[in-house]
Structures are given as C-alpha cells and as structure tokens.
Amino acid sequence: MGIQGMELCAMAVVVLLFIAVLKQFGILEPMSMEDSSDSELELSAVRHQPEGLDQLQAQTKFTKKELQSLYRGFKNECPTGLVDEDTFKLIYSQFFPQGDATTYAHFLFNAFDADGNGAIRFEDFVIGLSILLRGTVHEKLKWAFNLYDINKDGYITKEEMLAIMKSIYDMMGRHTYPILREDAPLEHVERFFQKMDRNQDGVVTIDEFLETCQKDENIMSSMQLFENVI
C-alpha cells in the first residue's frame, strides 16, 4: 500500500483506515428495512443503554434508520454497548496483522472518547462518525486537529505529529510499496510544519491548521471522500 503524500492528506489516511476497519467488522453495514420497533427493543438489551434515537438524530446528521443500522453493527462487535481501549486495539490488530496497530488505535480511541472516561459509548461513536462523514469542512478539520493534539493543549508540536505518523507507519508494517525509509515519518512531519507553521514558532495552532488546510486543494478534496460511505 503506497502512502506517498501523507503530509498533505494525513486526515484522509486516518479516516480511510478507520472506515475500512468499520466495514471489515460489519459496523458500517448496509441499510436495513427492519422495523424500527425491533431496534428500540435492541437498545434495552445491552448493559449500557444509549440515548434515544430521536436525541441522537438531533445531535448528528444521520437519519433514524441509519442510526438503527449503525447501532446493530456496533452492538454486534460490542455487546455491552461500550468499547474500552483494549477492545479497540484488538480490532485494529486483527485488521493489520502485518504491523503494530497499538499506538494508532490508542490515539484514535482518545479522539472518540470525548469525555475521557476510558470507554467509547455508542453516542460518542456516532457523534464522531457524523462529523467525519457529514460534518462541514471546518468540523472535520477541528476533529483532525484534536486527534493530532495529543495532550489537548491547543497546539500541535512536531513531537505529536511525529508520534501520529510513526503510529500509522507501524500499523502498515513492512508491506508498503514503495518500501519506506526509516526517516520517512520525520520527513513528512517536516513538510507538514513547513506548510502549517505560518509564523515558524515551532507549533501549529488551530487557526494555522484551519487556514492552511482550507487553502490546500488536496486536503479539501480528501474531505469529500467519506460523505457517501453509508
């Protein structure tokens, strides 16, 4: 799998890998015509009962039938209604056996665990997914910034971006084409900062990130890739 140009489309790589995993494990399953009352009954069958579908529909850009379908897929993989970090890592390790997906899964888990309680609820899952698939460009980019801002201090440092890039390379393993050099992640980070760090102070702010991304045709094109996956 080639990943040239990741410094321009890192968001696309992150989201495409995530969506690929969801489809592989049936969480993004085809829409069903199953009666909504069946899904309402299913909601009470798990230990963590999510918010009502009406409330989630108001909080997201999914229809009620889409939420029902997403819930069925989520419940199939997570019968308790909650996903802990170990489960998240296990899912990714199965999907990327040629590499080490542990660190990437950790970063992505933290991005979805909005309240930082160590578990992803169905609500967390669909609200994040709604942003990634159907949010505005501004919303998607803010979500990506939050992923890269590992310590949540409002800045992306080179160390944080390098950690994200290394985690993606580690997950891919050795089965990439062309074969990646060991210093490739650092080169991608340097290119990222050359584009993003407008005042050259060594960190990227949310304003710098948004402004640069919205002027980059490659990144803007990548924002449109996910809108029709379900």
Side-chain angles (χ1 to χ4, degrees):
M1 180 185 297
I3 48 177
Q4 290 177 314
M6 192 186 295
E7 70 280 357
L8 294 179
C9 298
M11 168 99 172
V13 172
V14 167
V15 179
L16 283 172
L17 290 175
F18 177 61
I19 290 172
V21 170
L22 296 184
K23 287 191 170 184
Q24 177 73 12
F25 286 91
I27 294 178
L28 288 185
E29 60 180 11
M31 291 293 105
S32 168
M33 298 305 293
E34 184 174 333
D35 187 80
S36 62
S37 61
D38 293 338
S39 293
E40 296 287 358
L41 288 173
E42 287 177 348
L43 295 184
S44 63
V46 295
R47 276 177 258 165
H48 170 76
Q49 183 172 338
E51 298 170 6
L53 290 181
D54 289 337
Q55 185 174 345
L56 283 177
Q57 187 177 357
Q59 291 179 288
T60 68
K61 298 183 181 181
F62 294 127
T63 66
K64 197 166 186 177
K65 281 195 175 296
E66 287 171 333
L67 287 168
Q68 290 164 0
S69 181
L70 286 168
Y71 181 74
R72 283 191 293 273
F74 187 89
K75 191 195 70 170
N76 285 340
E77 289 304 313
C78 320
T80 66
L82 295 169
V83 183
D84 60 23
E85 186 169 343
D86 287 341
T87 301
F88 211 72
K89 289 177 178 178
L90 179 61
I91 290 173
Y92 269 84
S93 67
Q94 293 177 45
F95 194 68
F96 295 96
Q98 76 278 11
D100 181 358
T102 302
T103 306
Y104 174 84
H106 168 74
F107 292 142
L108 195 57
F109 179 88
N110 285 344
F112 272 91
D113 181 16
D115 53 11
N117 68 352
I120 298 175
R121 305 170 301 156
F122 179 68
E123 297 93 313
D124 299 326
F125 169 71
V126 292
I127 289 171
L129 195 63
S130 175
I131 292 172
L132 292 175
L133 300 185
R134 296 184 182 169
T136 64
V137 167
H138 189 269
E139 289 170 337
K140 292 176 183 178
L141 291 175
K142 282 185 68 177
W143 194 95
F145 184 90
N146 180 64
L147 172 68
Y148 302 143
D149 179 17
I150 295 173
N151 66 0
K152 313 306 178 195
D153 66 351
Y155 301 95
I156 300 174
T157 65
K158 287 187 177 181
E159 291 77 15
E160 287 173 322
M161 180 55 70
L162 182 59
I164 295 287
M165 289 296 178
K166 281 185 173 179
S167 74
I168 294 174
Y169 281 61
D170 289 344
M171 180 170 60
M172 297 275 192
R174 300 181 180 275
H175 302 286
T176 57
Y177 182 83
I179 300 300
L180 297 168
R181 301 189 315 278
E182 194 169 325
D183 60 350
L186 183 58
E187 286 187 9
H188 284 307
V189 171
E190 291 298 334
R191 292 178 191 175
F192 176 91
F193 269 78
Q194 286 173 12
K195 295 179 72 69
M196 298 281 179
D197 186 9
R198 308 302 287 270
N199 62 0
Q200 299 184 331
D201 64 351
V203 297
V204 174
T205 65
I206 183 64
D207 290 337
E208 288 175 322
F209 186 78
L210 292 173
E211 180 182 356
T212 306
C213 286
Q214 291 179 91
K215 290 180 179 179
D216 190 295
E217 292 183 3
N218 291 316
I219 294 177
M220 288 300 94
S221 295
S222 76
M223 297 295 98
Q224 311 304 318
L225 295 176
F226 325 116
E227 294 179 354
N228 298 309
V229 298
I230 66 171

